[in-house]
Amino acid sequence: MSRKYFGTDGVRGKVGTFPITPDFAMKLGWAAGTVLASTGTKEVLIGKDTRISGYMLESAMEAGFSAAGVNVALIGPMPTPAVAYLASTFRADAGVVISASHNPFYDNGIKFFSNSGTKLNDEQELEIEALLEQALQHNAMQCVTSEKLGKVRRIDDAAGRYIEFCKGTFPNHLSLAGLKIVVDSAHGAAYHIAPNVYRELGAEVISINDKPNGVNINDHCGATHLDSLQTAVMVHEADLGIVLDGDADRVMFVDHNGHIVDGDEILFILAQAAHSKGEMTGGVVGTLMSNLGLELALKQMDIPFVRAKVGDRYVVEQLKATGWQLGGEGSGHILSLKHASTGDGIVASLQVLKAVLESQKSLSEIKAGMTKLPQVLINVRLATADADSILATTSVQQAVIKAEGILGDRGRVLLRKSGTEPLIRVMVESTDNLMTHTQAEYIADAVRAA
């Protein structure tokens, strides 16, 4: 059975347009509650980011879970990885995150975590989808009897608990005292958490984009718009800047020169630090989008590298299959299974800060061992959701073949549909910057024409 509603990162779309509607959210809550209850689930934890639509979707899912006889614990605005952690801490049986991550405020999404802090497996998601389809098509949503309805409670100390968890992943013998750090919270879920974590570890913190109003999340800020962070780092003469996205599951840096340090470079820094101390466990898992420069830099240290499908759930699957602990994506999703069960922007940032302190070098210096190859990514937005048929057209396939012929063994092409948005992503990477841009535009034009 193929997926109909769940993408690589749960259900996502424009608010008010199916499937991100109150009716769908309620029925999804009911279907998920029914499936999870069949395996013994008694309570789910629901967190959200700062989008105004979170209130609506939270209430709808709360009703659905209650109708399925599942209790609900509400924790309010909280990073996605915090929900994964707190679901276990509060002994809930599952966690739900209402967020569209780095997307604009008018989008939202819903994703699930198991009580071990990992995302639901494919079988569970397909079972939920099958029951959800019955509820949508045949209005087959059945409410349990009144005495079995789920109850709802609100947890007030969730933020403090998560702050302590994050601090606990940083070595006790180290301090951030003496570091001036600019933190961009993207007006998102970590606005009241991330700055406090770094402050309580001793850093001087300049906090920006930390005043959410429901509609400014990710608005020209956060991990997809680093201009304001680069400016702030230079203006304040900071040692570095840390930027999170709307739900704080991804992180990037800006060094003291104002240069961006992305997820691929973060993976290199963490692998290099572990390797230098003899603590590297296995290899590193990247994705099909990971820069070839990362693979080459790891090879010089004899560190194995494999590529998973795009999406942190697939990186986690590959890490578990190999028994390795470190993986991630260029977008800033960093998985360090030694410290957290899912991608955690704050925890990953603390590991980078640890590497900086222990090396007694600047962030700019410790990233210098990796040279990124020119890589161009063009997102072609679609007027139709049928990305598969566009990718299958003869003109698009011929454009890819021609580009690959020109690149030869000096580069590679990757063409794929987004799992979260109506986009086709065109990625070209090669040793020659001009050739990289030219071939990426050539393929993108073919996609647009199709």
Side-chain angles (χ1 to χ4, degrees):
M1 180 178 175
S2 61
R3 293 167 175 269
K4 184 172 182 180
Y5 303 112
F6 286 99
T8 56
D9 206 17
V11 181
R12 190 177 295 186
K14 188 174 183 179
V15 176
T17 301
F18 186 86
I20 308 300
T21 64
D23 179 67
F24 180 91
M26 180 178 66
K27 289 174 179 174
L28 175 59
W30 171 80
T34 300
V35 170
L36 295 173
S38 68
T39 61
T41 293
K42 302 297 183 184
E43 183 175 68
V44 298
L45 193 77
I46 299 181
K48 60 185 179 180
D49 63 22
T50 55
R51 294 162 213 270
I52 192 168
S53 58
Y55 295 98
M56 174 184 74
L57 297 174
E58 179 186 61
S59 297
M61 292 210 72
E62 176 186 326
F65 278 116
S66 178
V70 175
N71 296 330
V72 175
L74 303 174
I75 59 174
M78 197 67 57
T80 288
V83 178
Y85 164 71
L86 293 169
S88 175
T89 296
F90 285 105
R91 301 300 186 268
D93 300 289
V96 178
V97 179
I98 300 171
S99 172
S101 189
H102 59 283
N103 287 25
F105 82 94
Y106 49 75
D107 289 340
N108 216 328
I110 301 165
K111 51 190 170 185
F112 297 85
F113 289 94
S114 70
N115 59 357
S116 61
T118 59
K119 293 183 179 179
L120 300 185
N121 59 43
D122 291 344
E123 291 73 21
Q124 288 174 306
E125 289 187 351
L126 290 173
E127 190 176 354
I128 291 171
E129 283 202 351
L131 200 57
L132 173 62
E133 187 71 3
Q134 293 180 27
L136 293 170
Q137 298 297 327
H138 308 293
N139 199 28
M141 178 178 154
Q142 297 178 347
C143 182
V144 299
T145 56
S146 294
E147 71 275 9
K148 296 180 180 179
L149 289 171
K151 299 178 181 179
V152 180
R153 65 186 177 115
R154 188 170 295 277
I155 297 174
D156 296 322
D157 61 344
R161 292 200 187 198
Y162 180 61
I163 288 172
E164 291 305 312
F165 163 73
C166 291
K167 289 164 55 182
T169 65
F170 191 74
N172 289 331
H173 68 277
L174 294 178
S175 169
L176 299 182
L179 282 181
K180 181 188 287 188
I181 300 173
V182 181
V183 181
D184 179 352
S185 301
H187 297 304
Y191 77 97
H192 58 319
I193 291 176
N196 289 324
V197 170
Y198 307 120
R199 283 195 188 101
E200 291 181 23
L201 289 172
E204 177 185 348
V205 176
I206 296 99
S207 183
I208 64 173
N209 301 319
D210 59 354
K211 297 175 177 58
N213 61 15
V215 297
N216 61 358
I217 185 171
N218 300 315
D219 186 14
H220 293 92
C221 60
T224 55
H225 298 87
L226 280 78
D227 293 357
S228 61
L229 178 63
Q230 289 173 294
T231 299
V233 167
M234 302 303 289
V235 167
H236 292 282
E237 297 182 341
D239 294 292
L240 53 87
I242 300 172
V243 60
L244 304 163
D245 65 340
D247 68 335
D249 64 351
R250 64 167 74 177
V251 64
M252 289 193 192
F253 283 77
V254 168
D255 68 21
H256 72 282
N257 297 312
H259 298 152
I260 295 171
V261 181
D262 68 8
D264 288 339
E265 291 167 309
I266 290 172
L267 284 177
F268 166 74
I269 289 169
L270 297 182
Q272 177 184 239
H275 180 263
S276 67
K277 298 175 66 177
E279 298 176 353
M280 188 66 205
T281 302
V284 175
V285 176
T287 73
L288 297 173
M289 299 290 288
S290 296
N291 193 281
L292 186 57
L294 170 62
E295 184 174 350
L296 296 175
L298 293 174
K299 187 176 182 180
Q300 289 185 333
M301 294 184 286
D302 293 321
I303 297 176
F305 178 76
V306 298
R307 295 179 185 270
K309 291 192 294 184
V310 175
D312 61 335
R313 67 180 298 140
Y314 301 113
V315 176
V316 172
E317 288 176 4
Q318 191 66 47
L319 286 172
K320 290 183 176 179
T322 57
W324 300 349
Q325 295 183 334
L326 181 62
E329 304 180 89
S331 61
H333 279 122
I334 305 298
L335 282 300
S336 178
L337 298 188
K338 179 180 179 181
H339 302 99
S341 61
T342 187
D344 191 315
I346 298 174
V347 169
S349 72
L350 292 175
Q351 303 316 304
V352 173
L353 292 172
K354 172 190 171 187
V356 168
L357 293 174
E358 291 183 336
S359 70
Q360 297 184 332
K361 297 178 180 179
S362 69
L363 178 60
S364 177
E365 289 173 320
I366 65 173
K367 75 165 186 177
M370 171 185 160
T371 301
K372 292 177 65 178
L373 294 187
Q375 186 183 80
V376 175
L377 174 63
I378 300 176
N379 292 321
V380 181
R381 188 161 292 275
L382 307 179
T384 172
D386 192 8
D388 290 322
S389 64
I390 294 173
L391 292 173
T393 58
T394 301
S395 58
V396 171
Q397 292 183 345
Q398 287 179 341
V400 171
I401 292 171
K402 183 176 180 180
E404 288 178 334
I406 293 173
L407 294 170
D409 59 3
R410 294 174 295 170
R412 65 191 186 102
V413 173
L414 178 65
L415 197 63
R416 70 177 188 89
K417 65 179 181 179
S418 169
T420 59
E421 300 177 78
L423 300 173
I424 287 180
R425 305 192 192 278
V426 180
M427 192 278 285
V428 177
E429 184 178 52
S430 80
T431 57
D432 183 273
N433 191 45
L434 178 59
M435 182 167 60
T436 303
H437 280 82
T438 301
Q439 297 311 311
E441 289 292 352
Y442 172 67
I443 297 171
D445 285 343
V447 173
R448 294 186 188 105

